[in-house]
Amino acid sequence: MLCAVYKSPKKAETYLFVERRDDFSRVPAPLMDTFGTPQLAMMFNLASKTRLGISDIDKVRAALKTQGYFLQLPPPPENLLKEHLARQAAEGNGE
């Protein structure tokens, strides 16, 4: 199964996977408006892959088959202050 991956010019670290290069016919128009003009990032064969960087490969395959696209959003930002305060609280409770 070939797959084309496009980068969003509007949303950082947001990628759209489609079954065929430049075929966005199954992607909802509101999503395309929000995504912006897709910029081709890469093409690869999903059948020869066992894993992807961020997304679950089985979810990507299933989404491509059922809806014709998969939208990869960036991971949530780390809240370093929250982690620091939790660590301080844990260290304070250990005394």
Side-chain angles (χ1 to χ4, degrees), residues 7 12 14 24 26 57 59-60 71 74 77 84:
K7 180 180 176 179
T14 302
F24 306 102
R26 295 180 66 190
I57 195 163
K59 289 181 182 180
V60 173
L71 182 65
H84 174 70

Side-chain angles (χ1 to χ4, degrees), residues 11-37:
K11 304 283 183 181
E13 297 182 55
T14 302
Y15 295 90
L16 182 64
F17 294 62
V18 293
E19 296 175 287
R20 289 176 206 88
R21 184 177 180 158
D22 298 332
D23 182 4
F24 306 102
S25 60
R26 295 180 66 190
V27 182
L31 174 56
M32 290 303 297
D33 291 341
T34 303
F35 190 82
T37 304

